Every structure is written in C-alpha cells, then in structure tokens.
Amino acid sequence: MYILGISAFYHDSAAALIKDGSIVAAAQEERFSRKKHDHRFPKNAINYCLNEAKITINEVDIVTFYDKPILKFERLLETYLSYAPIGIKSFIKAMPLWIKEKLWMKELIKSDLGYTGKVIFPEHHESHAASAFYPSPFQEAAFLTIDGVGEWTTTSYGIGKGNELKIIADIKFPHSLGLLYSAFTYYTGFKVNSGEYKVMGLAPYGEPKYVDLILNELIDLKEDGSFKMNMKYFDFAAGLTMTNENFNKLFGGKPRKPESSLTQRDMDFARSVQDVTEIIMLKMAKHIKKETNQKYLCLAGGVALNCVANGKILREAIFEDIWIQPAAGDAGGALGAALFTWYQYLGNQRVVDNNDSMKGAYLGPEYDNTSIQKFLDKNKIKYEFLEDDKLIEKMGNILSEEKIIGVLHGRMEFGPRALGNRSIIGDARSKKMQS
C-alpha cells in the first residue's frame, strides 16, 4: 500500500511517500524549484517520490495533507473579527488565496495530480507528533511538538504507544513560542520562517540582557512551561508585521533594517530570546516527564530545529534519551501525515526499527557519475574526474588552502540540516572561515 503525504501553502512545502509503513522517499519542493522555503504545491517533490518508487499517481492508495484547511480558515476568520477593524488590510491580503485555493484542498490535490482516490486531513500537530514518534526507535514515548501555529495549536504534548498517538494537552494561538522567536527574528532584521537559524547562530555572541524584560513584559510563564503572551506588543495576529510600536518602545528602537550591520544590541536580543526558549522548553520537558512518566521523549515542530535547546534537554537527563525528527518543521509534516494515516487512521501494527527507519534522513534524489558527466558535457562545464582516493587527497589540499568545497554524495537529506551528502565544507581551524 502506497500513501503520499503532502505539506504546502505555508512554507517548506514537501512530499513524502511510504510503502506499507516504510519510508520510500521524502523531499522539499525548494530542492527542485530552487526557491528557498518554497510554499507552493510540491509538484516536483511529488513527481520525484513517485519516480523513486517507480509508480504512477494511480497506484497511490491514499493522499494525505498535513493539516485541516477548514480549521485554519476558522482561526483566521475568528482572529480577524476579534481584532477588527485593525486586521482589515491583512484580511484582504489573505482572503483571495484562501477562496481561490486553500479551502478547496481536496479538489486541488485531485486536479493537480490527476488523482481519483481517497484524500484525508490529519490535524497539523498530529502530523508533527506522528513525524516525531513513529520513526523513533521507541515502542513507547512522550512527544512534544512546538511551532509557530498549526490550525489553532502552537504546542502540544502526549504519548505514543505502539501504533497509537494521544495528545494530552496543548497551547493555542496566539500564544506561541515559535511566534515569539519569530518576533525577534523580525526585530533583528531577518526573514520570518527563514532566518530563525541565524538568530540561534547569533546568540552566542550576545549577553542575555533582555531575559527578565521578556519574561516580565512579553510572556507570562508558568512552572509547567505553559504560558500566555502579552498581545499588546505583537502585531502578528491581525497585522502585517510581527511586532508593533509598543514593542519598539519597550526595547528602545525600531527593528534592524535587513542586511544592515549587526550590532551588539542585536546579538543581545538573539541571546535573550534563545535563553528564554531554552528556559521554556526545559520547563515543558520536566512537566511532561512528571505527567507521563515516560523514559523517552520525541520532538518535532519548527522550534524542535533549535538544536541548542534540544541539547539542553538531553544534557539535563530529564529523559533517558530523546529523538528528534530531522525535518522537524513543516516539511516533516508531509511524512508525519503519511505515517499518521498508516498507523493511526488505518490501525496497522508498528514494528520498531532500532537501526533507523529515517535512513539517516537520506531520502532525496541521488545522481551517479554517468548522469553528472552527461550534464557537464551537455552544458559545456569544465570539470576534472578523480577516483575516490585521489579525490579525498585533493579535497584535503583545497581545504588546507582555506578554500570552500561543495559536496554532493549519495541521496539528498530530508530537512534543513546538511549531513554530508549536500554540504558546504571548510577548514574549522581557520579563524577566517566563519566570515
């Protein structure tokens, strides 16, 4: 049985294909379209998945989409109405795409793919939870999903047992750790849903000067990790920006202009929101351990890409071990939706793969020397061919000269982390390398 999972229309559109519960292929649309964080319907990624399995769309038994568009639409309408007339500009901007495309997801999937079979819609955080638990090496575990927002949910936790997932509790929009982090991404001059990793990378250069201000003014944090945000400082619920004038006054200035010079102040903001994220995630992990008494924890959702915070949870030894979905963001929702359908919707038995059912996240396309050579010849690109032993020696020499190498090897990684198969590498001993 083939199940095709799809995520689309927010950011990081992707497709994933499973055969009898085993992952055949998964890839993000951006890897084919060359448009970073491509949100469009993932036609290219779907075609790749089908080609990898050597099947047509007619051989797919179920197509599953990673969230419920009607619930998301309900949240948008309710939010805009509650903020009216403030949100009118944002409302007018959002509605055409919803009325034209997003509300008709089943019809769109069927017409775009020429598909006549069954289409199902798990909830967004069910897809995240499924992507975290089902590929994990644990028969039973707690799970934690944290992101910007799905339909209404921004954070959830629960227990996975065998082939079943049960969400125990959640936090709902507009209260969102992902959106708090994105607010500082915006304020420090980076692109929301794209530059969050830059904020995480900037944090070690800063001091946590604003931690108390964030915890006192922006967010009311409880001991169990639950929280409410003070919405007088944020504009994302109904406006066109993440923060507002109240936020600017609180932190003493307007957001940094994109591509302008970074100051120590920006680094201090990055460090402060990073520290707050770690504090919240640790509180959540401790509460989940207390409530579920599980040995293991699985993580997914965009905030689970914060490897620094994940490392803190691991080192605190709250759980015996943790497992994180490599494509923790929305791309992984495509895989989660497919796995949710196989196990939870269809009730198939789960056999745990202690090796790695994700196959090291190497789930994308690969290219052999012959096809690469044909492409280079056809496009008259200069090249030199070396056998592996000579190639490794040459690469070592290039790196020692403080030059940078792009590496293409085997199948492409699924998710935003370079794991050696599509990587840019440099000499870590060089002080100049980072800049």
Side-chain angles (χ1 to χ4, degrees):
M1 179 183 243
Y2 286 101
I3 299 170
L4 176 67
I6 296 171
S7 66
F9 299 128
Y10 188 47
H11 57 88
D12 297 305
S13 292
L17 185 71
I18 65 170
K19 179 187 178 182
D20 299 332
S22 179
I23 306 166
V24 175
Q28 285 150 262
E29 183 68 5
E30 67 168 26
R31 307 298 165 88
F32 305 95
S33 68
R34 303 176 64 83
K35 182 180 168 68
K36 197 167 182 176
H37 302 294
D38 199 339
H39 70 281
R40 295 170 297 181
F41 190 77
K43 281 185 184 176
N44 297 298
I46 290 166
N47 287 336
Y48 155 67
C49 288
L50 297 175
N51 290 336
E52 187 67 31
K54 298 180 172 60
I55 62 168
T56 66
I57 192 65
N58 298 323
E59 292 165 86
V60 171
D61 297 274
I62 300 175
V63 172
T64 176
F65 189 75
Y66 81 133
D67 67 11
K68 290 187 186 292
I70 194 72
L71 281 182
K72 199 172 265 190
F73 186 66
E74 174 194 271
R75 190 232 322 149
L76 287 173
L77 281 181
E78 282 194 28
T79 304
Y80 287 133
L81 284 169
S82 65
Y83 280 87
I86 295 166
I88 193 69
K89 276 188 186 173
S90 183
F91 179 79
I92 289 165
K93 197 174 177 184
M95 281 309 105
L97 190 60
W98 274 96
I99 290 160
K100 197 171 102 183
E101 279 186 346
K102 293 184 182 181
L103 275 176
W104 315 105
M105 196 62 66
K106 188 181 281 191
E107 289 76 9
L108 189 144
I109 287 167
K110 290 192 167 194
S111 66
D112 273 21
L113 298 180
Y115 175 70
T116 56
K118 192 170 207 169
V119 183
I120 73 159
F121 297 87
E123 285 192 21
H124 189 93
H125 276 256
E126 286 177 332
S127 296
H128 276 322
S131 79
F133 174 64
Y134 290 132
S136 79
F138 312 131
Q139 186 64 41
E140 193 175 323
F143 61 79
L144 172 61
T145 67
I146 318 173
D147 64 5
V149 60
E151 296 90 359
W152 281 102
T153 301
T154 66
T155 304
S156 76
Y157 82 85
I159 295 174
K161 201 172 184 178
N163 67 349
E164 286 188 6
L165 284 173
K166 185 186 175 190
I167 293 175
I168 294 169
D170 62 12
I171 297 171
K172 289 191 161 57
F173 182 86
H175 312 293
S176 166
L177 181 55
L179 292 174
L180 175 71
Y181 206 93
S182 291
F184 279 91
T185 302
Y186 167 80
Y187 195 67
T188 50
F190 300 113
K191 195 175 176 184
V192 171
N193 293 328
S194 171
E196 281 77 8
Y197 76 97
K198 295 182 181 180
V199 176
M200 184 174 70
L202 200 61
Y205 299 95
E207 296 295 326
K209 290 181 178 177
Y210 302 99
V211 167
D212 289 343
L213 193 57
I214 294 169
L215 292 173
N216 290 333
E217 291 290 333
L218 298 188
I219 190 163
D220 178 15
L221 177 63
K222 303 302 182 191
E223 200 47 44
D224 63 359
S226 65
F227 57 85
K228 279 194 169 182
M229 286 165 67
N230 186 345
M231 294 308 294
K232 83 171 192 179
Y233 293 107
F234 301 98
D235 204 28
F236 60 76
L240 295 169
T241 58
M242 292 301 295
T243 59
N244 58 27
E245 276 304 314
N246 292 330
F247 194 101
N248 296 348
K249 280 177 195 168
L250 185 67
F251 291 102
K254 290 188 179 297
R256 180 180 79 94
K257 285 186 178 169
E259 306 304 323
S260 62
S261 297
L262 283 160
T263 64
Q264 187 59 47
R265 184 168 164 270
D266 299 312
M267 296 171 197
D268 294 342
F269 286 133
R271 173 64 184 275
S272 300
V273 74
Q274 177 64 32
D275 276 21
V276 167
T277 300
E278 291 166 20
I279 290 165
I280 294 171
M281 287 180 74
L282 280 169
K283 282 183 185 292
M284 286 179 178
K286 285 171 183 172
H287 176 71
I288 293 166
K289 174 66 180 175
K290 186 178 150 195
E291 290 296 308
T292 67
N293 200 30
Q294 290 292 321
K295 286 183 183 178
Y296 309 113
L297 178 68
C298 303
L299 292 147
V303 178
L305 290 170
N306 195 306
C307 45
V308 183
N310 295 342
K312 283 266 174 81
I313 293 171
L314 185 65
R315 284 191 298 276
E316 287 270 329
I318 302 159
F319 293 87
E320 285 183 25
D321 204 357
I322 67 172
W323 192 89
I324 304 141
Q325 166 54 240
D330 276 8
L335 177 60
L339 293 169
F340 180 89
T341 303
W342 175 252
Y343 290 115
Q344 187 96 334
Y345 180 74
L346 296 173
N348 287 299
Q349 190 178 350
R350 178 170 170 257
V351 178
V352 174
D353 184 342
N354 289 318
N355 294 319
D356 181 15
S357 65
M358 282 292 294
K359 298 169 185 165
Y362 301 124
L363 297 166
E366 65 180 318
Y367 306 91
D368 60 18
N369 283 335
T370 307
S371 62
I372 292 167
Q373 201 160 3
K374 272 184 187 171
F375 178 87
L376 295 171
D377 288 337
K378 183 185 170 188
N379 292 282
K380 297 182 173 60
I381 295 165
K382 190 179 167 187
Y383 67 88
E384 179 185 3
F385 178 83
L386 297 169
E387 295 295 342
D388 281 1
D389 55 342
K390 291 267 171 45
L391 179 66
I392 289 162
E393 187 184 335
K394 175 100 178 209
M395 285 169 71
N397 290 335
I398 292 168
L399 289 174
S400 69
E401 292 165 11
E402 296 186 296
K403 289 177 180 171
I404 293 161
I405 300 175
V407 178
L408 181 151
H409 173 84
R411 289 184 77 175
M412 185 188 290
E413 303 91 335
F414 181 47
R417 301 290 182 246
L419 304 169
N421 282 15
R422 303 290 185 277
S423 292
I424 298 166
I425 59 173
D427 188 346
R429 300 170 302 178
S430 165
K431 289 180 181 176
K432 295 190 295 186
M433 193 50 61
Q434 192 173 18
S435 56

